Amino acid sequence: MDFSPILISLKTAVFSIVITFFTGMLAAYLVVRIRNVKVKIAWDGFLTLPLVLPPTVAGFFLLYLFGVKRPLGSFFVEYFGVKIAFSWGATVLAAAVISFPLMYRSARGAFEQVDENLIFAARTLGMPEAVIFRRILLPNALPGILSGGILAFARGLGEFGATAMIAGNIAGRTRTLPLAVYSEVAAGNMEGAYRYVLILVLLSFLAVSGMNVAAGWFRKQDRRR
């Protein structure tokens, strides 16, 4: 059994969640602060788009932007000597883009559920926005944010379509667990596919169980308060 897809998937999911967690939380905070309803709807639709698009379409757009002869792709090659398309970095990029909306929407929902009276009271007392975010908004929204992070991690771990488009299916380099399942089935090796499927199911179950455990812990903390 080739263990490289497991290692590649885990490494991809870890790196992508680091990117997605902070960018998704920041985007959610900025969108919540927008007062113009039309502008908010437009930004929300744009940031949620990867969630509703077929992953292969999202991968097509990524390939169009980050291909070697495409705008961003040629920029990275020319100025940094880094080829993004069909590299391990492309697996991270695909996983981050596809899982971003889950993190963004979870964080946005968590921010919007925080009692606005707490924020208004803090502003009345003259607290800067950065302090309000750190001491009031973030602690109260943390359960929803962490749940979004776990879901985004699991989604990045199982990403297939966009990864296949921009990263390819290169053994030992970009072949993640979902791509390994596809490759084994295509080769007629169902036994190998079963092993990879079992590992994917187990990892996904652990991620969801972790989310439930975290939610239960936060509920207990709330009762103690």
Side-chain angles (χ1 to χ4, degrees):
M1 180 178 178
D2 183 9
F3 289 96
S4 64
I6 304 171
L7 298 176
I8 292 171
S9 286
L10 289 174
K11 189 167 66 168
T12 297
V14 169
F15 274 80
S16 67
I17 192 55
V18 170
I19 298 169
T20 304
F21 186 84
F22 293 104
T23 57
M25 188 167 56
L26 176 61
Y29 175 69
L30 294 175
V31 169
V32 167
R33 286 173 57 87
I34 295 174
R35 297 305 173 193
N36 187 302
V37 176
K38 292 182 180 179
V39 174
K40 179 180 284 192
I41 290 174
W43 272 110
D44 184 72
F46 174 75
L47 295 173
T48 309
L49 197 59
L51 184 64
V52 296
L53 280 177
T56 49
V57 175
F60 172 83
F61 283 119
L62 290 176
L63 187 60
Y64 182 84
L65 291 173
F66 290 95
V68 177
K69 296 183 179 180
R70 295 300 179 179
L72 292 177
S74 60
F75 172 80
F76 277 97
V77 170
E78 183 175 353
Y79 292 97
F80 300 101
V82 176
K83 179 186 174 184
I84 294 179
F86 302 104
S87 68
W88 173 75
T91 67
V92 176
L93 178 62
V97 168
I98 297 300
S99 62
F100 172 86
L102 286 173
M103 182 64 219
Y104 158 72
R105 295 204 67 85
S106 297
R108 181 185 169 183
F111 286 144
E112 289 178 336
Q113 289 178 2
V114 176
D115 188 355
E116 286 190 345
N117 292 323
L118 296 174
I119 300 172
F120 292 149
R123 287 173 180 163
T124 302
L125 295 172
M127 293 177 69
E129 291 297 325
V131 177
I132 292 173
F133 176 81
R134 189 174 68 253
R135 293 188 178 179
I136 297 175
L137 196 59
L138 187 59
N140 284 282
L142 194 57
I145 291 173
L146 291 180
S147 295
I150 294 171
L151 285 174
F153 175 83
R155 182 66 186 86
L157 188 67
E159 166 48 33
F160 174 80
T163 303
M165 289 292 291
I166 191 173
N169 186 9
I170 306 171
R173 288 182 57 193
T174 66
R175 181 173 291 173
T176 58
L177 277 169
L179 288 168
V181 172
Y182 174 81
S183 299
E184 295 297 340
V185 172
N189 183 10
M190 298 304 294
E191 185 177 346
Y194 292 147
R195 293 195 188 101
Y196 288 130
V197 167
L198 181 61
I199 293 169
L200 260 176
V201 171
L202 179 61
L203 291 174
S204 299
F205 177 77
L206 289 174
V208 175
S209 299
M211 182 179 66
N212 292 329
V213 169
W217 185 85
F218 278 110
R219 280 196 295 269
K220 288 181 181 178
Q221 297 302 311
D222 288 337
R223 292 193 193 108
R224 289 175 182 175
R225 291 174 189 172

